[in-house]
């Protein structure tokens, strides 16, 4: 059983704390038995990226790659995507033992196409290497995805690739926020 809610209250006492969690009017609550053990997780809901926004990102990457590839060398949409992530997003600097740096990079890349790790060189700490870790867009908030799209739109303009009108792009961003708000209201 899983739902999104608001107004969670914590009641603290001598013996610990209790949570009061507003729940939906649902018959499945009748199945809860006092004697059973339950795993409960509380977290803030994250906005899921819209498939339309994801499609727009890949469409822009494809158009940019095609324009750049016409100048004599092949560039893939995946290369454009990774470059845009590095240009538009912040990285997480991580210090790792030099002997495992390549393994960390390899494993980070397995998270997805946009998950990149760059070896930034030796750390001030002996035997350590600094890596710059960039997360892929699957983990982005609306603001981060908006920045990625802005980066791709700018690049598309720079290379002469066609771009959707800014009102269309803004509507996609607004729809993403609206979908998330509707989901929260219906489940709360």
């Amino acid at each position: 059983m899983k739902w999104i809610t608001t107004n969670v209250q914590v009641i603290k006492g001598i013996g610990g704390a209790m949570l009061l969690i507003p729940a939906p009017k649902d018959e499945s609550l009748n199945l809860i038995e006092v004697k059973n053990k339950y795993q409960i997780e509380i977290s803030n809901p994250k906005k899921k990226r819209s498939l339309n926004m994801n499609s727009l990102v890949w469409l822009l990457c494809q158009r940019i790659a095609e324009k750049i590839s016409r100048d004599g060398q092949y560039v893939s949409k995946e290369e454009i995507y990774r470059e845009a992530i590095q240009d538009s997003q912040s990285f997480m600097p991580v210090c790792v033992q030099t002997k495992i740096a390549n393994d960390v990079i390899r494993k980070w890349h397995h998270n997805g196409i946009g998950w990149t790790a760059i070896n930034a060189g030796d750390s001030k700490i002996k035997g350590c290497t600094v890596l710059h870790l960039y997360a892929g867009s699957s983990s982005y908030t609306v603001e981060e995805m908006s920045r990625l799209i802005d980066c791709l739109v700018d690049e598309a303009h720079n290379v002469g690739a066609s771009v959707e009108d800014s009102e269309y792009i803004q509507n996609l961003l607004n729809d993403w926020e609206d979908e998330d708000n509707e989901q929260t209201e219906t489940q709360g």
Side-chain angles (χ1 to χ4, degrees), residues 1-181:
M1 172 175 0
K2 187 176 182 179
W3 67 87
I4 295 176
T5 190
T6 57
N7 300 318
V8 174
Q9 296 179 25
V10 178
I11 300 173
K12 295 179 183 177
I14 296 172
M18 292 181 65
L19 290 176
L20 292 176
I21 304 171
K25 295 176 183 174
D26 188 328
E27 290 299 317
S28 61
L29 291 174
N30 295 333
L31 301 175
I32 294 177
E33 293 184 27
V34 178
K35 295 176 185 177
N36 290 351
K37 287 186 180 180
Y38 294 96
Q39 177 178 325
I40 297 173
E41 177 182 329
I42 296 178
S43 62
N44 292 322
K46 294 190 178 181
K47 297 176 184 176
K48 294 180 182 175
R49 74 183 161 165
S50 158
L51 291 178
N52 290 337
M53 289 187 61
N54 193 46
S55 296
L56 176 61
V57 165
W58 286 108
L59 178 64
L60 290 169
C61 289
Q62 182 65 39
R63 289 177 181 169
I64 294 165
E66 288 171 358
K67 280 291 187 180
I68 293 174
S69 292
R70 289 186 185 156
D71 293 337
Q73 66 179 11
Y74 175 76
V75 177
S76 71
K77 64 182 177 287
E78 290 81 7
E79 289 175 78
I80 300 299
Y81 175 67
R82 283 188 287 269
E83 285 178 24
I85 285 174
Q86 290 174 31
D87 288 346
S88 68
Q89 305 300 318
S90 59
F91 59 85
M92 179 174 41
V94 177
C95 185
V96 298
Q97 290 178 333
T98 300
K99 65 183 178 184
I100 65 164
N102 288 334
D103 284 339
V104 171
I105 290 170
R106 183 180 49 78
K107 288 177 181 177
W108 186 260
H109 288 175
H110 277 282
N111 288 317
I113 295 169
W115 295 75
T116 57
I118 298 171
N119 186 328
D122 292 336
S123 167
K124 292 179 182 177
I125 301 169
K126 187 177 180 178
C128 288
T129 298
V130 176
L131 302 179
H132 293 175
L133 305 179
Y134 292 87
S137 65
S138 60
S139 67
Y140 287 4
T141 63
V142 172
E143 293 78 19
E144 291 166 329
M145 192 66 143
S146 177
R147 187 164 165 75
L148 175 62
I149 289 172
D150 288 346
C151 177
L152 289 166
V153 166
D154 285 348
E155 184 62 19
H157 284 301
N158 289 340
V159 299
S162 62
V163 177
E164 274 59 27
D165 127 318
S166 60
E167 186 176 326
Y168 171 77
I169 294 170
Q170 189 56 51
N171 285 337
L172 287 177
L173 289 167
N174 292 341
D175 286 347
W176 189 11
E177 287 181 309
D178 291 345
E179 285 173 19
D180 185 61
N181 290 336

